[in-house]
Amino acid sequence: MSELNVETKVNAAMLTVQEKTGFRWKVAIMMWGAIAINYFDRTNLSAAAPMIMKEFDFTATEMGFIMSAFFFSYTLCQIPSGWLADKFGQKTLLGGSVASWSCATMLMAAGQGLISFIAIRILLGIGEAGAYPCNAGIVSKWFPDRERARATVIFDSGNKCGTAFAMPIIVWMMITFGWKVPFIVSGALGIVWVLIWLKYYTDPEKSQYANQAEIEYIRDGQAVKDGLDNKMPLKWYQLLRYRNIRAMCIGFFMSNYAIYFYITWFPTYLVQSRGMSLMKMGFVAMIPPLVGLIVGFITAFLADYLYSKGYSKTKVRKNNLVCGMLLASSIVFVNFIQSDVAAVALLTLSYCGIACAGPALWTLPGDVAPKNMTSTVGALQNCVSNVGGILGPIITGWIVTTTGSFEMAMVVTAGATLIGAINYAFYLGEVKRIEV
């Protein structure tokens, strides 16, 4: 009788595992949607830049200031957004963020000059500041440790999809209806997302769409269970005492400096340096993020596989970060290539390096943050990293205006990624939870 009872319990446990829901992956898809729309909205300006510069007679330096205005407010609002997300919950903050940046996106169609464009981009940055910190916190609540790289690459892939698929659509709408229409359409898309988010998302224990078996599966697989209360053991600035936090900030700064070349100046580079038409540029600009999307998924699945096989988090994360940043530094060799096809291939290779590092960059906050501070840690590293977003477009614009070419800008970008690789290899220590 005792053996029968044991067998019955085992069968019941197996049945429970088999019947657990998979709502956490639907949460990942909703996070992906937020980031895809986020980057769709950012890509609007980089695609429309040649037409806006012509209509308003902006110089490359002035356009650089417009592009960078976003990053001033985006950077300053990172830490408040992360703290608010950890304190009051990611549902409210992320929903409010998407709603506010969608309204700001639609306002771009009303821009009338340098000052108005800068002001609207500042509003856009305030709204978008909450996206990534919220998603980092959601992953720490909704996914066991062994699935976090995959969950991260799903939502982070939204930036590649938003950049890649948006470009030809935006260019088509600009050519057909004018440069203002893409801003209105993408802003309206964000409002639709907000309605879906508010209807379906809650934390795991409150969700009516995840059953108890799934919640237990998630929580049993977490070394530290975030979100069960709102107690944070540190002030946000005290996080900078820790070497790993500083290393994360430095490395992400270097990565962002490089990635925002693609987000802001890459379309203009293809038009001005490679002589492409707007329509051809729209399709060619899809190539790096699309290939990077595939590479990001492969490296994320490999990272989770290696971790499940017993490799340490330190080895798994550093493998992605160091190799990725080294590969990204290959961008400098585009200066020696005459063929447009070969140049795009090399730039795609460099982008793939950034895509390889991406999942690890946004998995690290959940790996090292003190309890209930994942969004805050994510916001802190994103705050520092986006100083690279502020400097990158301005420096690139200044270099192009001064030298008349992109060659020196490529050298500076390659140097940034090389420093990032060295930082992750030697300054980042053991990847583990900070115990306060």
Side-chain angles (χ1 to χ4, degrees):
M1 178 65 69
S2 124
E3 291 182 0
L4 182 60
N5 288 338
V6 170
E7 184 178 356
T8 301
K9 290 180 179 179
V10 170
N11 290 337
M14 292 177 63
L15 184 61
T16 300
V17 171
Q18 291 172 351
E19 291 182 347
K20 71 176 181 294
T21 50
F23 187 70
R24 64 193 183 283
W25 297 110
K26 295 177 182 177
V27 170
I29 292 171
M30 286 191 285
M31 289 191 292
W32 172 90
I35 300 301
I37 295 169
N38 184 301
Y39 274 77
F40 193 117
D41 293 346
R42 296 190 200 185
T43 302
N44 274 331
L45 183 60
S46 61
M51 296 179 71
I52 292 175
M53 289 173 70
K54 182 178 180 180
E55 180 175 332
F56 293 93
D57 198 26
F58 293 146
T59 66
T61 301
E62 288 174 328
M63 198 67 222
F65 275 104
I66 293 172
M67 291 176 173
S68 291
F70 163 88
F71 294 103
F72 283 98
S73 56
Y74 183 78
T75 301
L76 290 173
C77 292
Q78 282 294 310
I79 294 171
S81 295
W83 184 86
L84 288 169
D86 282 328
K87 185 68 176 177
F88 299 107
Q90 286 80 14
K91 177 176 182 175
T92 300
L93 191 75
L94 186 56
S97 293
V98 179
S100 61
W101 91 54
S102 297
C103 293
T105 298
M106 289 187 278
L107 274 177
M108 283 295 292
Q112 295 297 317
L114 182 64
I115 300 302
S116 62
F117 279 121
I118 289 175
I120 295 168
R121 291 286 288 180
I122 288 172
L123 292 176
L124 182 69
I126 293 171
E128 291 200 4
Y132 269 92
C134 281
N135 279 2
I138 292 165
V139 168
S140 73
K141 292 179 179 180
W142 269 97
F143 289 87
D145 294 352
R146 59 182 171 273
E147 292 180 353
R148 286 184 178 177
R150 279 171 285 173
T152 300
V153 78
I154 288 173
F155 83 70
D156 190 47
S157 69
N159 66 43
K160 285 83 173 175
C161 293
T163 303
F165 293 112
M167 188 61 72
I169 296 172
I170 290 170
V171 170
W172 173 80
M173 284 193 289
M174 283 195 308
I175 293 173
T176 307
F177 305 107
W179 65 265
K180 297 181 180 182
V181 170
F183 290 98
I184 297 171
V185 171
S186 61
L189 187 62
I191 299 299
V192 173
W193 182 93
V194 171
L195 297 176
I196 295 171
W197 176 253
L198 295 178
K199 176 175 175 58
Y200 289 103
Y201 181 81
T202 60
D203 289 347
E205 284 73 17
K206 300 176 182 177
S207 176
Q208 59 179 312
Y209 303 103
N211 64 11
Q212 188 61 33
E214 182 178 13
I215 295 170
E216 290 176 359
Y217 170 80
I218 293 167
R219 294 307 191 182
D220 289 345
Q222 296 176 336
V224 176
K225 298 167 179 57
D226 283 346
L228 298 180
D229 56 56
N230 294 324
K231 296 179 181 178
M232 291 180 279
L234 291 173
K235 303 293 185 183
W236 68 265
Y237 53 85
Q238 293 175 317
L239 292 166
L240 291 170
R241 297 174 181 173
Y242 298 92
R243 172 177 167 176
N244 275 0
I245 299 294
R246 296 193 297 271
M248 289 161 59
C249 292
I250 294 169
F252 210 166
F253 173 97
M254 300 303 170
S255 175
N256 256 19
Y257 188 98
I259 196 63
Y260 280 107
F261 165 76
Y262 290 94
I263 293 170
T264 58
W265 281 108
F266 183 49
T268 304
Y269 168 79
L270 295 176
V271 172
Q272 293 186 359
S273 295
R274 294 291 166 177
M276 296 184 185
S277 66
L278 277 176
M279 185 57 74
K280 183 178 181 181
M281 175 273 289
F283 283 100
V284 171
M286 291 176 62
I287 297 173
L290 280 181
V291 179
L293 176 66
I294 297 170
V295 170
F297 272 97
I298 292 172
T299 55
F301 274 77
L302 179 61
D304 277 346
Y305 173 78
L306 292 175
Y307 180 66
S308 69
K309 292 298 181 182
Y311 287 86
S312 69
K313 283 185 180 179
T314 303
K315 289 183 179 179
V316 171
R317 303 294 183 244
K318 284 196 173 190
N319 180 60
N320 279 32
L321 293 166
V322 177
C323 293
M325 296 294 277
L326 285 175
L327 187 61
S329 67
S330 65
I331 193 174
V332 70
F333 297 111
V334 77
N335 290 338
F336 306 101
I337 295 175
Q338 298 298 321
S339 165
D340 289 348
V341 173
V344 172
L346 180 64
L347 289 166
T348 301
L349 183 68
S350 174
Y351 191 101
C352 286
I354 304 172
C356 176
L361 287 171
W362 278 107
T363 307
L364 280 175
D367 292 333
V368 307
K371 186 177 179 182
N372 295 329
M373 295 194 73
T374 300
S375 286
T376 304
V377 170
L380 177 58
Q381 73 161 8
N382 210 28
C383 174
V384 176
S385 76
N386 276 282
V387 176
I390 294 171
L391 295 178
I394 293 176
I395 292 173
T396 299
W398 178 80
I399 290 172
V400 173
T401 301
T402 305
T403 67
S405 78
F406 280 86
E407 289 186 1
M408 186 53 64
M410 298 299 190
V411 174
V412 175
T413 302
T417 54
L418 184 60
I419 293 171
I422 295 170
N423 166 77
Y424 284 125
F426 301 108
Y427 193 48
L428 182 68
E430 182 182 358
V431 177
K432 64 179 181 179
R433 177 77 69 164
I434 293 173
E435 298 294 340
V436 181

